[in-house]
Amino acid sequence: MSSNVSSTNLVALAAVCLSALMLGLEISSIPSILPTLEHVLPANFKQLQWIMNAYTIAMTTWLMAMGALADRYGRKRIFMVGIVVFGIASLVCGLAETAPVLIAARFLQGTSGAAMLACQVAVLSHQFRNGRERGTAFGWWGIIFGIGLGFGPIVGGLIVTLASWEWVFLVHVVLAAATLGLAHAGVEESSDPHAVRIDLAGMVSLSVAVFCLVYLITQGEGVGTGNPPGLAMAAIGLVSLVIFIMVENRVVRPMFDFRTFRTRSFSGALIGSGGMNFSFWPFVIYLPIYFQAVLGLNSVTAGLTLLAYTLPTLVVPPFAERLLLRQGPRVVIPLGLFLIGIGFILMRLAAVSDQASWLTILPGCILAGIGLGMTNTPVTNTATAAVPVERAGMASGMDMSARMISLAINIALMGFILLLGIHSHLESLAGGGQVADFRSLAEAIAAGNLGAGIGGDIGLEAARSALIQGFSWVMLYGALSALGFAAISFVIFGARNAKPLQAGGL
């Protein structure tokens, strides 16, 4: 950051980064404490799923609405309200004694997290107008967000080991208080002067549509005549989506402006946002299972090995932002997605080999992490720079919605593909016969319980082979998704958008 950046902007950057750290930690640190919550609350398997998913569902549902509210009532105001509510929700999470209370508090966390996330990018876009300073600010934002996501599993495990599960949530009460003070001192108020009316119909219809979609995917609900609730949820979601599209194409100041897709740089950036979450981020949830169940690493060693996957995402963004300034998004964003795809191919080759170990899988992990670092902040910087600065809240909301929706979808899809690969291997082992309760056995193996193979009469080594095949399918899916999105983004950007990022726009 150059020396002429005001101290106020530096304080604002600190507030944005600290809030990003909290959001990242609350996504990735919770899986490590689920076994503890199962016993202390207690919570059944369905409740544990909701403890994990309530946060993501709420954030995805409300993200666009929060961006619209920030444009209308002020980014600083909505940002600070989000921080306060996030702190209160974290306190309730830490004090919860039953699973339903924790689930409700997690939903409130996700809602307030949506407010913070929608405002983070808008604040950076407003207070960092110079191209180089803007790139550096977005680079630091990406690094800190990445620290929260990448180190969350280790942080959660250490807190449970050294203190208790409650402090995984209570620590955010302290962090929220510090963030609130920084935001009050450093963040400048900004809004969209043209946003004189709230797009209430758009907010409600999109929120309902997204909630129905994410709920169906994460809960594995069928949409057939044999499942009336699932069919009703799908119908409500589809009707809400149609209403949303109709409303947004008629209102004067839509919160989701479909006209922005005419700007190639904006469309290409959103493709990049989706591409990362069709591959890299959902896989971070499943990769520890491979490390522990297949490679036999303990939780500490697995967490340290996982850093090879996440650490590059922390150090690469500043380089990526400088490259964005020189080469433009058409080079940087497709290149990042391409590297993610090649990284997944290398991981798959290592996973299925007879010499598979943590050493052989590291090159693929590192390359995928580098690719993510090349893509993560440039897509947001490009998307917000492609629209007028007063519409930054809307643009950041669309960008983050693309990320969160694709993340929620692909967590479920990767889980489904993992089960499908395991199930296929179990069927081949049965040789046309029947293994008792294939689905429950596949679910147990997918969770890393290879001992279930003994109970299922297939043996420990056969269960391990089934899990390896499941992961090979998931890695192939991640590779093809990243490479496909890389090609699509390259075409959408077009030669006219190969120019570097300029101060305040493309």
Side-chain angles (χ1 to χ4, degrees):
M1 192 74 67
S2 61
S3 58
N4 61 344
V5 177
S6 70
S7 58
T8 299
N9 281 0
L10 291 177
V11 173
L13 178 60
V16 168
C17 287
L18 194 53
S19 66
L21 178 67
M22 292 192 293
L23 295 182
L25 286 174
E26 281 303 276
I27 292 174
S28 62
S29 64
I30 305 306
S32 62
I33 69 170
L34 290 180
T36 302
L37 296 177
E38 182 179 7
H39 297 291
V40 300
L41 288 178
N44 58 39
F45 179 72
K46 208 70 172 178
Q47 289 173 323
L48 291 175
Q49 282 187 310
W50 269 107
I51 290 171
M52 185 65 208
N53 293 334
Y55 181 82
T56 305
I57 290 176
M59 186 177 290
T60 305
T61 300
W62 294 111
L63 195 56
M64 283 299 301
M66 291 301 176
L69 290 174
D71 281 345
R72 173 63 179 87
Y73 293 109
R75 286 76 180 254
K76 179 176 182 177
R77 179 178 299 172
I78 299 299
F79 185 49
M80 292 181 67
V81 170
I83 295 169
V84 171
V85 177
F86 192 87
I88 294 172
S90 299
L91 178 62
V92 177
C93 285
L95 298 178
E97 296 182 350
T98 64
V101 172
L102 181 55
I103 291 168
R106 286 282 288 166
F107 194 88
L108 186 59
Q109 263 192 327
T111 301
S112 55
M116 291 194 293
L117 187 57
C119 295
Q120 287 170 3
V121 176
V123 168
L124 294 182
S125 298
H126 175 76
Q127 295 194 220
F128 294 90
R129 303 291 184 88
N130 177 271
R132 188 170 299 277
E133 292 172 358
R134 178 190 180 96
T136 304
F138 272 96
W140 276 109
W141 171 73
I143 288 173
I144 301 302
F145 209 158
I147 288 175
L149 288 167
F151 283 81
I154 298 176
V155 171
L158 286 175
I159 290 177
V160 170
T161 301
L162 300 176
S164 63
W165 69 268
E166 292 91 344
W167 282 100
V168 174
F169 299 106
L170 294 178
V171 67
H172 294 288
V173 179
V174 180
L175 292 177
T179 306
L180 184 65
L182 291 171
H184 178 73
V187 175
E188 299 173 358
E189 187 59 280
S190 63
S191 62
D192 181 356
H194 301 288
V196 295
R197 298 181 60 186
I198 290 294
D199 182 13
L200 185 60
M203 289 170 53
V204 173
S205 57
L206 178 63
S207 296
V208 171
V210 171
F211 178 82
C212 291
L213 171 65
V214 177
Y215 178 85
L216 288 170
I217 294 172
T218 56
Q219 295 303 110
E221 294 283 352
V223 190
T225 55
N227 182 15
L231 191 62
M233 186 71 74
I236 293 171
L238 181 61
V239 171
S240 297
L241 180 61
V242 172
I243 292 174
F244 172 71
I245 294 173
M246 292 174 60
V247 168
E248 297 307 289
N249 279 298
R250 293 183 179 181
V251 298
V252 178
R253 299 291 292 180
M255 73 173 192
F256 195 104
D257 194 344
F258 286 97
R259 292 171 298 181
T260 57
F261 287 109
R262 300 173 186 170
T263 305
R264 287 190 168 209
S265 55
F266 183 85
S267 298
L270 250 63
I271 290 294
S273 292
M276 296 184 300
N277 290 317
F278 269 75
S279 51
F280 188 92
W281 284 125
F283 192 57
V284 78
I285 294 174
Y286 298 100
L287 192 53
I289 298 174
Y290 175 83
F291 286 150
Q292 295 183 61
V294 176
L295 300 184
L297 305 180
N298 59 41
S299 58
V300 175
T301 307
L304 292 174
T305 307
L306 188 63
L307 294 179
Y309 191 71
T310 56
L311 272 180
T313 70
L314 313 183
V315 299
V316 173
F319 167 77
E321 290 292 342
R322 289 195 294 270
L323 188 63
L324 182 66
L325 285 169
R326 294 196 298 266
Q327 301 295 331
R330 192 185 191 226
V331 172
V332 178
I333 293 174
L335 176 61
L337 294 174
F338 176 78
L339 293 178
I340 293 174
I342 298 300
F344 269 79
I345 290 176
L346 293 180
M347 282 190 284
R348 184 176 187 272
L349 291 174
V352 300
S353 71
D354 295 333
Q355 293 77 35
S357 69
W358 67 272
L359 280 175
T360 60
I361 204 169
L362 282 187
C365 290
I366 293 171
L367 189 61
I370 292 173
L372 191 281
M374 291 285 293
T375 311
N376 195 30
T377 59
V379 295
T380 302
N381 197 348
T382 301
T384 55
V387 301
V389 68
E390 65 270 12
R391 297 291 277 162
M394 179 274 298
S396 65
M398 293 175 70
D399 169 47
M400 292 304 171
S401 290
R403 295 186 187 221
M404 297 304 297
I405 292 172
S406 56
L407 177 62
I409 291 172
N410 281 280
I411 287 174
L413 280 178
M414 282 192 174
F416 173 75
I417 293 170
L418 181 62
L419 284 173
L420 198 64
I422 295 171
H423 196 282
S424 173
H425 190 78
L426 293 178
E427 284 186 329
S428 68
L429 290 177
Q434 287 295 322
V435 175
D437 200 353
F438 264 148
R439 182 168 181 80
S440 62
L441 179 58
E443 288 178 349
I445 294 173
N449 181 15
L450 298 185
I454 299 175
D457 300 324
I458 65 168
L460 193 64
E461 189 57 35
R464 182 176 180 272
S465 298
L467 186 57
I468 290 174
Q469 175 165 304
F471 270 101
S472 72
W473 286 25
V474 172
M475 292 172 182
L476 180 61
Y477 170 77
L480 294 177
S481 296
L483 294 175
F485 275 94
I488 294 171
S489 66
F490 183 80
V491 172
I492 288 178
F493 277 122
R496 290 176 297 174
N497 291 87
K499 59 184 179 181
L501 183 69
Q502 303 297 327
L506 292 175

